[in-house]
Amino acid sequence: MVADKHAVLLSAPDVGRLEQEYVMAAMRSGWVAPAGPDLDLFEREIADRVGVPHAVAVNSGTAALHLALLGIGAGPGDVVVVPTLTFVATANAVVYTGATPIFADCDVTTGNLDADLLSGLLADLRAEGARVRAVLAVDLFGSCADYERIVPLADRYGIPVIEDAAESLGAVRQGRPAGSFGRAAALSFNGNKVMTTSGGGMLLTADAGLARRARHLAGQARLPVSHYEHDETGFNYRLSNLLAALGRAQLRRLDEMIERRRALRDAYAKLFADVDGVCLLGAGAPASNCWLTSIVVDPGRTGWRAGELAAHLAARNVETRPIFKPMHLQPAFAGARAALRGAAEHLFGNGLLLPSGSALDEAQVRGVLDDIAEFLDGGR
Ligand SMILES: *Cc1c(COP(=O)(O)O)cnc(C)c1O
């Protein structure tokens, strides 16, 4: 959607005075390269927030996933189990390493990896002699995946879990923060996430060796000598110090921004509470960061489809989106293996993501709620 100051967007960046101060201070300090004090502090502050010893700042969440997979040795001949209901970057990162993604369906109530299905899939893959390098679980829309089942399952086969926490910074599951599950986790600070560096990401891990190798690869695998010496093929994945300064300001506001998203979700929950045939995806999910709120519509009960509400809102300049189109339906992954039960396809067909951003002001929120109420009252 084209930027329009009257439009209500799904999840626009939420930046203001504090961010300006931090970025200007970094600019004045002269540290405008992908190195500097804000970068070091940003890594430390995120690591402390999540409670993980090592953090490596990079220029996207996709890069963090790529480095995490390289860090556990993923490469040609390997397979990596990935949920089919995710953003494409999760699966792409697997392909970048030369490994092959195998897609698994989700739980229809949460949208996250279906642990029962995973159990059967891992048993099948073991029986076939497949080299399963990792289970790459995703915390969809800000709710942590079912790690208390996924981690022990993968452990049984000696397979590491990697957490795609691109959407879930600030969420908690069973007392543990998102980004602290598995061998390594990836955060994203893309412009539409709960907090942003305009573009950026971070790899988190308790494994010092994995962190060291990720940092090395992110800096073109350059060795610390004065001439240009490289011991393998690396990547230009480092984050700018200026963007780290932006991230530090955003991190200070993270809890406040999450509370705004939560208030919005609560308002949607109230609005739809008495509507037969509409539920919130992941309603009752433990301590989500409420990144995006989605409804799931049962048209047999409502008498209307998600797409009709989307059209009603689009006509009023309110952005919504379908839930991610599953990876096994993407032309880019045609022919990929997938273990399916129809859940992801059901959510793609009947889900609708509603405006969820913390930058929405009160008038915009009231406007969206009124527009939906108008639709529900039959004004469609
Ligand atoms: C946003 C996102 C990514 C990628 O992050 P970028 O910073 O945009 O590269 C990866 N996985 C999921 C689930 C995401 O939502």
Side-chain angles (χ1 to χ4, degrees), residues 62 65-66 69-70 74-76 78-80 82 88-103 136 327 332-333 336:
T62 310
L65 284 171
H66 185 195
L69 287 162
L70 291 173
D78 293 336
V79 300
V80 175
V82 176
V88 70
T90 317
N92 282 347
V94 174
V95 175
Y96 298 164
T97 68
T100 302
I102 292 185
F103 298 114
L136 176 45
M327 291 303 111
F333 293 105

Side-chain angles (χ1 to χ4, degrees), residues 11 40 52 148 159 170 183 196 247 259 278 283 290 295 338 343 345 375:
S11 181
D40 297 341
V52 168
E148 61 271 24
I159 300 167
R183 183 77 62 82
T196 186
E259 282 324 304
V278 177
C290 299
I295 55 166
E345 288 184 30
F375 176 87

Side-chain angles (χ1 to χ4, degrees), residues 197-219:
T197 58
S198 83
M202 206 168 292
L203 180 144
L204 298 172
T205 183
D207 181 333
L210 194 154
R212 202 176 319 111
R213 177 161 156 77
R215 193 177 296 285
H216 181 58
L217 287 174

Side-chain angles (χ1 to χ4, degrees), residues 59-63 65 86-87 89-90 138 164 166-167 187-190 192-193 200-201 291 324:
N59 55 17
S60 74
T62 310
L65 284 171
T86 185
F87 179 58
T90 317
V138 177
D164 181 344
E167 303 175 357
L187 303 178
S188 167
F189 308 120
N190 187 40
N192 64 349
K193 298 286 166 41
W291 175 52
F324 293 127

